[in-house]
Amino acid sequence: MAKQVHQLLPDAKPLTWEGDLAARMVAGIHKYLDRATAESVGQREAYWKRDLTSWAKYLRSVEPNRRRLAEIVGVVDKRQPPNAELVMPAKQLARLRADPFGTYEGTEIGEGNGFTVHVVRWSVLRGVEAEGLLLEPERALANTVALPDADWTPEMLCGLSEGLPPGAQYARRLAESGCRVLIPTLINRDCEWSVVRDLKTNQPHREFVYRAAYELGRHVIGYEVQKVLAAVDWFVRSQRSLPVGVMGYGEGGLIALHAAALDQRIKAVAVSGYFGPREGVSGEPIYRNVWGLLQEFGDAEVATLIAPRTLVVEASPVPEVTGPPPVTEGRSGAAPGALVTPVFKDVENEVKRAQSLLGGLEAPITLVKATRPGTERTLKAFLKALEMGLGRDWEEQPALVADLPDPRARQERQFDQLVEHTQEVMREAEFVRRDYWAKADGTSVATWNKSGKRYRKLMWDVIGPLAEPEMPMNPRARKVYETESLTGFEVALDVFEDVFSYGILLVPKGIAEGERRPVVVCQHGLEGRPQHVADPTVIEPYYKLFAVRLAERGYVTFAPQNPYIGGDDFRVLQRLGNPLRLSLFSFITRQHQRILDFLKTLPYVDGKRMGFYGLSYGGKTAMRVPALLEDYCLSICSGDFDEWIMKISTVRHTYSYMRTGEYEIGEWNLGNTFNYAEMSWLICPRPFMVERGHWDGVAPDEWVGYEYAKTQNRYDLLGIGDRTEIEYFNGPHEIHAVGTFAFLDKHLGGPFESKG
């Protein structure tokens, strides 16, 4: 065996690893990401060019960071003109309808000590309004937004309904002190309306909005920040002279922190139950996942965007969230994630880190240790920044004078509006992509290739760029198969520290000395292994052992292990990677680059004829990796090509990933940059093929045909229409191996006769 390895793999050392190499691969990438997360804190300064010589220069110097923060949390849509209106209580509306010529007094639903409570809504985005309560004092000294946690209602925060002790009702305290207070409704963590058609999920409403929005460059965080900023718009338009403050707890604290970081009109912000080290965000609920966050921002960095304005950090226990709503019959698919209160020392260190980043510029950051939100010390510090004092705590609940709004109906409206906004953005994404690609020059194949280099770099930015491997590939191999027609080896190659490529190389027998054969890299799908496609002893109904069949036709084949295996073990990799501006395909692409580099070293391989063929998740790889790696001379996507952006974000089709447990599948802002047609344009002018079974449940034929028409159009316009094909067949989600084999033979020169 050692002699055979030496003959066919002359530079390979023996592979001695035992056990599950796929699990070893996933664990290695996990180690890499853990290390990168820890190192991210010290590397963020590369993204900041702070000028600490004066506050004026400082504010100008951090403006690019402010813009990038707005972009990654999805604050990208133009807001509607500022407009707020009071909503008449139901009893008063009924009286008016019964006697339209009668009179009625006021619009309040409650009265507190020195303030009245009104139902209010205000314009935010097209089709999106904020709803909540307005606490109007007898004489307003400041305008404030009080943000509850996601599972609190505005009525709880001001004492109109049960649920919070008087000491935690900070909206009431602000109103009693003379603040005008707007309390928005936040999207909660229930799952009642998280439904795709009739298919129910246990995704919290926040996760459902997040998943629909993420692919489209929007975020539930951004939507709710927009609601706060729309309130600020209204405050400034109606009473420009009054200072503006924002205070929030839990999810409301997150929104308050980011709103103040993005809008310098907010003079003071108080954040309770949120601030602290953010390097553990991958373990928090997925609706806190922000692309590239940790690369540039921790909470300390966000805090420096608030300076020199006042920030009050209240280190109180976070909301108790141990996970999504429980899985029940008919409801599943939610991502894991919990909220854990950081130790006070960690919060204190993050505050100190924020202060240290400002150098000699002293910013008013106050840290308050608390056992609940809204302590007197926090309120005093917050109100002092608004040039006010804290009024007496009456501890009395406001008196109801009319019916309370229906919180369930209001939550449903707020949820539906945000979901529908994602659907509108999804429908418009095709036209956004058209503009994005407007600079591509399709005059000729040569000009298209030149344009492709620019867009390939842009796609790397979307997928998540990883530097090229610098360490030696250190090939290790062992023979695992021997048949009359081929010899098979397990091969491992180093990529980065703890990260390696692994797969099965099949070498046809009878290759003449000096002959160089083409290679087909044959990729398995979700939870698959190389053995499913390359083990001659396996009986597997969907892959049809296509790596073996191709090797029997004379092709050298390589079946890589891709790391989408192990259930949540690999999904955690996506969660760890996204805040670092990395995805699973960041690693997969570099692993494939290493495989291609290795294959070129083999004396019987033609390095200019290396094709790719993948099914299912292997088809996802067929769209992304050859689009980025030009060493693949062609690509075949089987069982995956479709209207990808719709599949990710639609809430109206049962084909949607919105209803499945593949919560990590979204790729930030891909919808506005690269659908599958655009990915195929990056493969163009190299040959490209789609293999599609009519019974394949991935997507309907109509989606596949619609998207592929744009691929065919691009090739035809360049005069190379014969380089792309689609084969439909009467079959399920499987390798058909008819038209695709002919396509490979046409473009790679097979099949090959044995010379032995």
Side-chain angles (χ1 to χ4, degrees):
M1 184 173 73
K3 182 179 179 181
Q4 184 69 33
V5 171
H6 177 73
Q7 289 175 342
L8 293 177
L9 301 173
D11 297 322
K13 300 174 184 177
L15 176 62
T16 59
W17 289 345
E18 300 296 336
D20 188 341
L21 299 194
R24 185 184 186 124
M25 175 183 288
V26 171
I29 297 174
H30 200 300
K31 288 180 183 178
Y32 179 100
L33 288 168
D34 281 343
R35 189 165 56 248
T37 300
E39 293 170 352
S40 68
V41 180
Q43 295 173 349
R44 289 175 198 151
E45 276 303 287
Y47 297 90
W48 295 77
K49 307 298 180 187
R50 295 184 181 89
D51 186 336
L52 301 176
T53 57
S54 71
W55 279 119
K57 291 180 179 179
Y58 171 82
L59 291 173
R60 286 194 295 271
S61 71
V62 299
E63 195 57 34
N65 305 87
R66 201 187 312 278
R67 289 195 297 268
R68 286 194 291 269
L69 181 63
E71 182 179 349
I72 65 175
V73 298
V75 180
V76 294
D77 295 299
K78 183 179 179 181
R79 290 191 296 278
Q80 294 290 288
N83 177 50
E85 60 183 7
L86 300 180
V87 181
M88 193 176 300
K91 284 185 178 179
Q92 294 179 356
L93 183 60
R95 283 171 45 200
L96 180 62
R97 287 172 175 166
D99 182 10
F101 299 103
T103 60
Y104 59 97
E105 296 181 359
T107 59
E108 63 271 11
I109 63 167
E111 295 178 346
N113 285 291
F115 66 93
T116 55
V117 185
H118 308 261
V119 179
V120 66
R121 60 176 171 241
W122 61 98
S123 301
V124 183
L125 308 174
R126 189 173 68 174
V128 176
E129 295 177 322
E131 292 189 60
L133 298 180
L134 172 66
L135 279 53
E136 185 68 39
E138 294 174 356
R139 176 173 172 268
L141 302 176
N143 288 319
T144 59
V145 180
L147 291 149
D149 179 54
D151 288 335
W152 294 0
T153 67
E155 291 75 24
M156 293 165 62
L157 200 58
C158 69
L160 276 179
S161 65
E162 296 180 351
L164 293 180
Q169 297 166 8
Y170 50 86
R172 173 181 60 81
R173 296 296 312 281
L174 293 174
E176 290 171 344
S177 301
C179 291
R180 176 179 291 110
V181 185
L182 266 178
I183 316 175
T185 298
L186 297 191
I187 301 300
N188 67 22
R189 303 184 184 94
D190 197 2
C191 63
E192 182 177 0
W193 299 295
S194 298
V195 178
V196 177
R197 302 300 278 183
D198 296 326
L199 300 170
K200 300 177 180 179
T201 80
N202 70 324
Q203 295 170 33
H205 292 146
R206 298 188 71 79
E207 177 179 340
F208 197 83
V209 173
Y210 158 86
R211 286 172 66 164
Y214 193 79
E215 194 85 0
L216 303 163
R218 271 65 171 187
H219 204 292
V220 65
I221 293 173
Y223 280 132
E224 293 188 329
V225 167
Q226 290 275 41
K227 291 184 177 185
V228 174
L229 301 187
V232 175
D233 293 341
W234 178 59
F235 284 153
V236 171
R237 189 197 70 172
S238 58
Q239 289 183 312
R240 184 180 299 273
S241 62
L242 294 183
V244 176
V246 178
M247 180 173 180
Y249 170 69
E251 231 57 46
L254 182 161
I255 303 303
L257 182 72
H258 287 78
L262 296 181
D263 196 326
Q264 297 179 72
R265 297 175 300 175
I266 297 171
K267 188 174 182 180
V269 58
V271 177
S272 181
Y274 174 72
F275 198 92
R278 204 51 54 194
E279 287 67 56
V281 68
S282 63
E284 297 177 23
I286 197 170
Y287 45 80
R288 289 188 172 185
N289 179 51
V290 174
W291 176 255
L293 178 72
L294 296 181
Q295 187 181 55
E296 188 168 348
F297 302 98
D299 285 3
E301 284 79 10
V302 176
T304 66
L305 293 177
I306 296 171
R309 295 164 289 140
T310 294
L311 168 62
V312 183
V313 174
E314 186 174 61
S316 66
V318 305
E320 184 177 347
V321 176
T322 58
V327 174
T328 60
E329 186 176 353
R331 281 195 183 271
S332 62
L339 297 181
V340 178
T341 301
V343 299
F344 178 75
K345 188 66 176 177
D346 288 344
V347 179
E348 184 179 43
N349 287 340
E350 192 72 5
V351 169
K352 289 180 179 178
R353 199 167 68 81
Q355 292 169 327
S356 70
L357 292 172
L358 295 169
L361 296 174
E362 295 186 8
I365 305 177
T366 301
L367 175 61
V368 178
K369 187 175 183 180
T371 58
R372 60 163 175 80
T375 57
E376 291 216 354
R377 187 181 167 200
T378 298
L379 290 169
K380 285 179 178 178
F382 177 66
L383 290 170
K384 180 181 179 182
L386 298 176
E387 301 177 12
M388 297 175 57
L390 179 62
R392 174 184 171 186
D393 183 2
W394 295 90
E395 294 192 357
E396 297 176 11
Q397 307 303 286
L400 277 172
V401 297
D403 291 340
L404 288 174
D406 182 346
R408 180 177 176 276
R410 179 179 59 200
Q411 179 69 211
E412 184 177 15
R413 285 193 301 272
Q414 293 283 278
F415 173 79
D416 286 347
Q417 285 178 7
L418 293 188
V419 171
E420 181 53 37
H421 192 271
T422 68
Q423 303 306 285
E424 175 63 20
V425 173
M426 178 189 71
R427 291 188 289 269
E428 287 296 312
E430 179 177 357
F431 305 103
V432 176
R433 292 194 303 274
R434 182 184 62 187
D435 294 340
Y436 184 79
W437 279 81
K439 294 182 180 179
D441 187 348
T443 305
S444 67
V445 170
T447 60
W448 187 257
N449 268 330
K450 185 176 180 180
S451 295
K453 295 185 184 303
R454 174 176 180 268
Y455 283 95
R456 195 165 287 113
K457 182 179 184 301
L458 292 171
M459 186 172 168
W460 262 119
D461 289 340
V462 174
I463 295 299
L466 261 179
E468 292 191 29
E470 295 182 350
M471 64 192 309
M473 67 177 71
N474 185 26
R476 286 89 75 205
R478 61 183 165 219
K479 190 169 80 169
V480 287
Y481 310 122
E482 182 86 50
T483 71
E484 292 182 357
S485 57
L486 60 84
T487 307
F489 304 90
E490 285 186 312
V491 178
L493 308 164
D494 289 338
V495 183
F496 305 111
E497 184 179 354
D498 296 316
V499 179
F500 62 92
S501 295
Y502 154 73
I504 296 175
L505 173 71
L506 300 183
V507 183
K509 292 184 175 178
I511 300 177
E513 185 175 354
E515 181 184 6
R516 289 184 178 271
R517 293 278 179 90
V519 176
V520 182
V521 174
C522 302
Q523 190 63 66
H524 64 76
L526 180 65
E527 299 292 348
R529 295 176 182 271
Q531 289 78 6
H532 293 151
V533 306
D535 183 344
T537 67
V538 166
I539 299 176
E540 208 292 323
Y542 298 107
Y543 292 111
K544 308 289 180 65
L545 287 182
F546 70 110
V548 176
R549 302 287 86 85
L550 286 168
E552 290 171 346
R553 293 170 76 90
Y555 292 98
V556 177
T557 66
F558 192 95
Q561 176 70 66
N562 270 6
Y564 36 70
I565 189 170
D568 271 357
D569 287 347
F570 90 80
R571 294 192 166 95
V572 167
L573 302 182
Q574 193 86 320
R575 293 296 313 278
L576 282 164
N578 274 197
L580 299 169
R581 200 162 160 246
L582 296 172
S583 70
L584 204 59
F585 276 101
S586 303
F587 293 93
I588 290 171
T589 305
R590 289 310 185 195
Q591 288 174 315
H592 276 257
Q593 179 181 340
R594 183 111 294 187
I595 290 166
L596 293 172
D597 290 343
F598 163 73
L599 290 169
K600 289 181 197 175
T601 69
L602 301 179
Y604 44 85
V605 164
D606 184 346
K608 296 187 181 300
R609 291 188 293 165
M610 298 188 293
F612 187 97
Y613 185 0
L615 171 66
S616 194
Y617 263 61
K620 292 174 179 45
T621 311
M623 298 310 304
R624 291 158 179 79
V625 172
L628 294 171
L629 299 183
E630 295 180 87
D631 280 344
Y632 276 121
C633 70
L634 64 76
S635 182
I636 301 174
C637 176
S638 179
D640 194 68
F641 192 93
D642 64 273
E643 218 290 8
W644 178 255
I645 305 307
M646 183 177 291
K647 182 172 177 63
I648 293 292
S649 294
T650 182
V651 300
R652 293 183 173 87
H653 293 274
T654 55
Y655 297 100
S656 176
Y657 273 119
M658 286 290 297
R659 67 181 182 85
T660 74
E662 289 160 296
Y663 54 79
E664 86 301 336
I665 199 74
E667 294 154 293
W668 173 252
N669 203 32
L670 192 72
N672 294 311
T673 52
F674 300 91
N675 203 342
Y676 273 16
E678 288 83 10
M679 291 184 196
S680 75
W681 295 353
L682 286 183
I683 297 170
C684 178
R686 292 167 287 161
F688 172 71
M689 184 174 181
V690 172
E691 184 176 55
R692 161 70 189 177
H694 286 307
W695 310 339
D696 195 325
V698 165
D701 279 349
E702 302 93 295
W703 288 12
V704 178
Y706 179 79
E707 193 67 11
Y708 180 75
K710 291 179 276 187
T711 298
Q712 183 72 65
N713 175 265
R714 174 55 53 200
Y715 278 79
D716 285 345
L717 290 177
L718 289 170
I720 52 172
D722 60 336
R723 296 187 193 177
T724 185
E725 297 178 24
I726 185 169
E727 181 189 38
Y728 293 96
F729 64 93
N730 284 324
H733 189 65
E734 66 179 12
I735 293 288
H736 188 47
V738 178
T740 52
F741 277 25
F743 187 80
L744 290 169
D745 290 345
K746 173 183 176 181
H747 294 287
L748 295 182
F752 304 88
E753 295 182 5
S754 170
K755 302 296 191 298

